[in-house]
Amino acid sequence: MAKKKIVVAYSGGLDTSVMVKWLNDKYDAEIITATGNLGQRSELEGLEEKALKTGAVKAVIKDLREEFLTEYVWKALKAGALYEGVYPMACAIGRPLLAKMLVDIARQEGADAVSHGCTGKGNDQVRMEVGVQTLCPGLEIIAPLRDWEFKSREEEIDYAIKNNIPVKVTKSSPYSIDENLFGIAIECGVLEDPTVAPPEDAYQITTSPKNAPETPEAVTITFEKGVPVALNGQKLGAIELVEKLNLIGGRNGAGRMDQIENRVVGIKSREIYEAPAAVILHKAHNELEKLILDKETFRYKQDVANRVANLIYDGLWFSPLFDALMAFVDSTQETLSGDVKLELYKGGIKVLSRSSNYSLYSVELATYTDQDQFDHKSSGGFMKIYGLPYKTLTQVKQSASKKEVA
Ligand code: ARG
């Protein structure tokens, strides 16, 4: 009988390295590792060799950066999706793409199962598994971290040493870090205590606002149909644009977040995020919407943003509601083109100017000078009609209470 084939989502870190060997032994299976490059800075070089040394028969590495930004991140940006109003969701947006990668490779390789290194209490297992189930209902999913015998990192390291698994046994960071182009999530260690402020060494890509330059830095972002296309007047591809913005924002201390959030499995967790490009882009995009969208569309879209954020966070990227809401979002972005100039200064992000050919802002209507074109007199009639229900209500209450007294 042919051996079982398992495609393993592989980062080359301790968990997924141990997984390759463990799955190999437990299922007597052929392991194919799959690694998606979403712009994490950790070494992708040498990863294939490492996977093969660990016992994989094949290692696939895919550069998904462009697809990640243009097909995934831009959607979340256009929607204005920030989980619980804050988190730009770098990890949450990346997972459905990784789930899709696992399914694609499993199909190509004729694999029986896919496997991931997510824990049993996180959100990522939900995103990976709901994604895989939706895209390929028959595919088996194995989540070793939920079932295996290792109780600690030390036990995994022992197992790795015993089995000649090449893992870097440097003094490991006290934090657990997940990273891609759209941001970094930092957990564990002292960060688990919500009364403790994050130590400076928790931050990976941002300068402390205290040490950031004394001179403010301005940056102009150009959007076309809701998507950023240029920085400071220079047209850039998605990858370069986000990388540059991460650098510019990072050196000015922008994009740090410290939040308590509600996980899908019901627990609250404390998360530190760094996402300079994401925070800057969301701020600029939102500013442009304030200028361009009509009042009702703008208000309605705020609700949609929240719904889309919850769907993404909860692992429902590949779902009918997500697609339907995105169709709404896309129709609002038809005119979302223009420039926003921001000033970055010691962690702060301030809007300096916004402009668009589709701007609904009219100086003639807004001005308090003699150039004013607004019809003040008509407002009198409007006030009478607009306030009528409430005026009536009070009148009725007053006459009813008089009747009661009588
Ligand atoms: N709480 C964040 C989220 O759910 C970050 C998750 C970080 N993931 C990780 N594997 N460390 O999106």
Side-chain angles (χ1 to χ4, degrees):
M1 213 178 83
K3 273 194 170 188
K4 191 180 177 88
K5 255 193 205 176
I6 308 174
V7 178
V8 177
Y10 179 74
S11 70
L14 180 65
D15 287 339
T16 58
S17 295
V18 167
M19 264 169 63
V20 170
K21 173 73 182 145
W22 187 87
L23 287 165
N24 207 329
D25 285 355
K26 174 154 173 152
Y27 294 92
D28 186 27
E30 275 185 3
I31 308 296
I32 295 159
T33 62
T35 308
N37 177 5
L38 301 185
Q40 60 273 38
R41 290 166 312 155
S42 61
E43 228 24 92
L44 291 167
E45 229 164 87
L47 207 59
E48 181 177 355
E49 202 191 334
K50 193 171 175 181
L52 298 178
K53 266 197 193 144
T54 311
V57 293
K58 186 170 178 180
V60 183
I61 300 174
K62 293 215 160 167
D63 185 354
L64 302 175
R65 290 175 302 163
E66 183 75 21
E67 185 180 0
F68 174 52
L69 292 176
T70 58
E71 302 293 323
Y72 290 77
V73 166
W74 287 174
K75 285 189 183 173
L77 178 65
K78 286 190 281 185
L82 295 169
Y83 183 61
E84 295 185 342
V86 179
Y87 168 40
M89 296 190 294
C91 313
I93 300 167
R95 287 324 186 260
L97 175 54
L98 295 177
K100 182 173 162 286
M101 173 191 76
L102 285 182
V103 167
D104 289 346
I105 296 174
R107 286 202 170 116
Q108 274 157 22
E109 302 289 339
D112 312 278
V114 295
S115 180
H116 62 73
C118 310
T119 72
K121 64 199 288 191
N123 298 315
D124 291 327
Q125 56 177 347
V126 182
R127 298 161 185 158
M128 295 293 274
E129 294 194 28
V130 175
V132 170
Q133 287 176 53
T134 307
L135 296 172
C136 189
L139 196 57
E140 186 188 349
I141 303 169
I142 306 170
L145 270 76
R146 293 201 295 248
D147 312 321
W148 68 19
E149 59 276 25
F150 311 116
K151 299 262 175 312
S152 66
R153 215 179 144 76
E154 285 65 36
E155 288 181 28
E156 285 182 53
I157 293 173
D158 282 348
Y159 177 88
I161 292 169
K162 251 186 240 139
N163 290 284
N164 293 320
I165 298 169
V167 286
K168 267 195 214 141
V169 195
T170 50
K171 194 177 158 286
S172 69
S173 154
Y175 309 111
S176 154
I177 294 172
D178 188 81
E179 173 173 4
N180 65 41
L181 274 173
F182 209 49
I184 302 186
I186 308 141
E187 299 165 307
C188 300
V190 289
L191 302 176
E192 286 178 358
D193 182 347
T195 67
V196 174
E200 202 40 51
D201 74 352
Y203 294 103
Q204 312 295 313
I205 56 164
T206 54
T207 302
S208 164
K210 284 181 197 142
N211 302 328
E214 295 299 327
T215 326
E217 182 167 358
V219 59
T220 301
I221 302 161
T222 306
F223 288 86
E224 271 170 24
K225 298 196 177 204
V227 167
V229 294
L231 275 193
N232 296 326
Q234 188 191 6
K235 283 243 172 208
L236 292 174
I239 300 173
E240 212 185 333
L241 188 142
V242 170
E243 279 177 348
K244 275 209 167 145
L245 212 43
N246 271 330
L247 278 179
I248 297 171
R251 67 178 172 239
N252 288 289
R256 289 184 171 191
M257 287 151 273
D258 175 352
Q259 85 157 356
I260 304 290
E261 78 190 24
N262 290 296
R263 283 197 190 167
V264 184
V265 295
I267 59 179
K268 286 191 187 288
S269 65
R270 196 273 189 97
E271 306 278 342
I272 303 302
Y273 298 117
E274 287 179 287
V279 170
I280 292 168
L281 287 172
H282 270 286
K283 173 127 186 156
H285 181 266
N286 181 250
E287 190 62 26
L288 210 53
E289 290 195 331
K290 291 183 185 183
L291 191 70
I292 294 171
L293 299 185
D294 63 279
K295 182 175 73 177
E296 288 304 328
T297 304
F298 183 81
R299 287 181 174 180
Y300 194 80
K301 192 167 178 292
Q302 289 181 310
D303 296 342
V304 170
N306 200 31
R307 294 299 293 254
V308 170
N310 290 345
L311 288 173
I312 296 174
Y313 190 88
D314 293 349
L316 303 179
W317 183 279
F318 302 112
S319 68
L321 182 57
F322 179 80
D323 292 343
L325 293 179
M326 279 315 301
F328 163 78
V329 167
D330 278 336
S331 94
T332 66
Q333 303 297 292
E334 280 299 316
T335 55
L336 229 279
S337 303
D339 289 344
V340 179
K341 186 175 182 183
L342 302 163
E343 182 181 88
L344 309 176
Y345 180 62
K346 290 192 176 288
I349 306 169
K350 207 166 77 180
V351 177
L352 293 181
S353 91
R354 60 298 255 168
S355 61
S356 166
N357 292 338
Y358 299 98
S359 167
L360 299 184
Y361 183 89
S362 153
V363 182
E364 291 77 31
L365 291 178
T367 186
Y368 285 93
T369 66
D370 59 4
Q371 301 299 303
D372 189 3
Q373 300 287 317
F374 184 77
D375 181 356
H376 289 249
K377 288 216 173 67
S378 293
S379 275
F382 175 58
M383 290 311 111
K384 280 193 188 135
I385 306 296
Y386 190 64
L388 188 59
Y390 312 100
K391 183 175 161 185
T392 309
L393 192 69
T394 307
Q395 284 169 336
V396 168
K397 271 190 193 162
Q398 283 171 345
S399 81
S401 67
K402 261 187 215 140
K403 278 182 203 150
E404 263 175 35
V405 173

